[in-house]
Amino acid sequence: MSKDLTVVSYEGLFAFAKKIFLKIGCNDEDATLATTVLLSADLRGIDSHGIARLIGYVRLWEADRVNAKAQISILHETPSTATVDGDSGLGLVVAPKAMQIAIDKAKNVGTGWVSVQNSNHFGIAGYHAMMALEHDMIGICMTNASPLVAPTFSVERLLGTNPICVAVPAGAQPPFVADMATTTAANGKLEVLQRQNLEAPYGWIQDAVGKATRDAHALKTGGALLPLGGDKEHGSHKGYALGAIVDIFSAVLSGANYGPWVPPFPAYVPMPTGMPGKGIGHFFGAMRIDAFRTAEEFKQHMDQWIERFRSAKTTEEHDKVLIPGDPERYAEAERKQHGIPLLQPVVDDLRALGEKLSVSCTF
């Protein structure tokens, strides 16, 4: 383990984070839920969206952009759909509650679809989509995000990293969980590179005039993240289209802000002017397997699908083919047993946050 890393137990991080959420006004149930969602990212190896972002949520609360006592409400619904107002709440709380509405609707009529307005950053998409798995349902989750991404051929930042997750249950095999940004890399990965003083690979980011750069700090000087593919020759127009779909489903459909008007995650960045909606938008779907075929038959065939792909002949450089969700599942098993590694700048931020809010930090 690198000397620049501190390994902390999940239980220790959970106790600390929950106390922070209680300090900003969450009730016990919401503080527990927010902490569970937040740390699911660290467990699954997605360090960019876990405990490192805790201070960002607190800053949003300090700026009166997060309502720690939010009461979500349904603005409009049909038997299979709903539009939810998140009351400016923590996305970590709003999102799983909205996903539960989608699941409940699917239980009744086969599928459930929920769009959300007036929310905030919700952690990793995977947590919310995976809620459907235990009900023998396919879970779908999307959210728009701060505009840091330039469409193909543009230098303007008009889209967020806009992730998509689809979680599919299997039988004897672990579930298929595809959780991905629609950019070549999520902004959180840039933040990790910045903390380590490392350069970004080409294809992640462009400078202020649209030229490829490896400067992990380029966003601070007018640069932009790139859609999945990096450039037109490598299919960035497809990543751009995927990000646009997420923006439309999450925000144009729900009444949230979209495109360049999505509220920025850093609390110090001024809010856009002329905002057409409310807060950040999400979109959730739950599909009952037995609305299409028996769950037992489906999961048997999912097992066969997974086993066939696992047995695919590999390139010389690799010894196995991975199924979406495998890296996160391996990370979770490792970190549950051995703890969660944190970069020193993250540890320093957490200690400072604890001192500020009078919450003990023992790691």
Side-chain angles (χ1 to χ4, degrees), residues 113-116 140-143 246 249-250 253 281-285:
W113 306 95
V114 175
S115 63
V116 177
I140 300 170
C141 175
M142 307 178 193
T143 185
V246 172
F249 275 46
S250 298
L253 191 61
H282 318 311
F283 184 79
F284 304 98

Side-chain angles (χ1 to χ4, degrees), residues 1 17 49 58 70 79 90 102 191 251:
M1 184 67 65
H49 283 60
V58 173
L90 285 162
E191 293 171 346

Side-chain angles (χ1 to χ4, degrees), residues 195-352:
R195 295 186 191 106
Q196 297 174 301
N197 293 314
L198 298 175
E199 291 186 319
Y202 280 118
W204 282 25
I205 192 168
Q206 67 184 24
D207 64 19
V209 296
K211 300 295 184 183
T213 180
R214 297 193 64 192
D215 179 8
H217 297 271
L219 290 180
K220 301 172 185 177
T221 55
L225 290 172
L226 292 169
L228 184 62
D231 56 37
K232 178 66 164 61
E233 289 68 29
H234 294 91
S236 69
H237 57 295
K238 298 176 183 178
Y240 163 35
L242 287 172
I245 289 168
V246 172
D247 202 31
I248 293 165
F249 275 46
S250 298
V252 180
L253 191 61
S254 70
N257 292 295
Y258 43 83
W261 297 285
V262 177
F265 182 76
Y268 59 83
V269 177
M271 294 285 276
T273 59
M275 298 168 72
K278 290 185 176 181
I280 286 175
H282 318 311
F283 184 79
F284 304 98
M287 303 167 60
R288 215 170 70 198
I289 298 298
D290 65 6
F292 300 88
R293 68 188 304 187
T294 68
E296 181 179 0
E297 287 177 343
F298 174 84
K299 290 193 288 186
Q300 287 175 351
H301 284 279
M302 272 305 299
D303 282 348
Q304 183 173 342
W305 189 97
I306 291 169
E307 289 163 1
R308 179 62 186 91
F309 277 74
R310 286 199 192 284
S311 66
K313 185 177 180 180
T314 63
T315 62
E316 292 182 0
E317 296 82 7
H318 300 91
D319 59 1
K320 61 182 177 181
V321 171
L322 297 175
I323 303 301
D326 279 351
E328 295 87 351
R329 189 167 50 83
Y330 298 151
E332 185 168 2
E334 169 73 17
R335 292 182 173 195
K336 278 184 174 178
Q337 181 176 358
H338 299 292
I340 295 170
L342 301 179
L343 292 168
Q344 191 57 46
V346 174
V347 174
D348 293 342
D349 282 347
L350 294 176
R351 286 177 175 156

Side-chain angles (χ1 to χ4, degrees), residues 69-92:
K69 303 180 186 295
Q71 299 293 317
I72 73 169
S73 59
I74 295 176
L75 301 175
H76 175 77
E77 69 179 323
T78 72
S80 63
T81 68
T83 301
V84 165
D85 187 309
D87 194 24
S88 298
L90 285 162
L92 301 168

Side-chain angles (χ1 to χ4, degrees), residues 122-142:
F122 72 7
I124 59 169
Y127 180 91
H128 315 300
M130 290 173 67
M131 287 174 59
L133 296 175
E134 63 185 273
H135 304 284
D136 280 345
M137 297 181 189
I138 293 171
I140 300 170
C141 175
M142 307 178 193

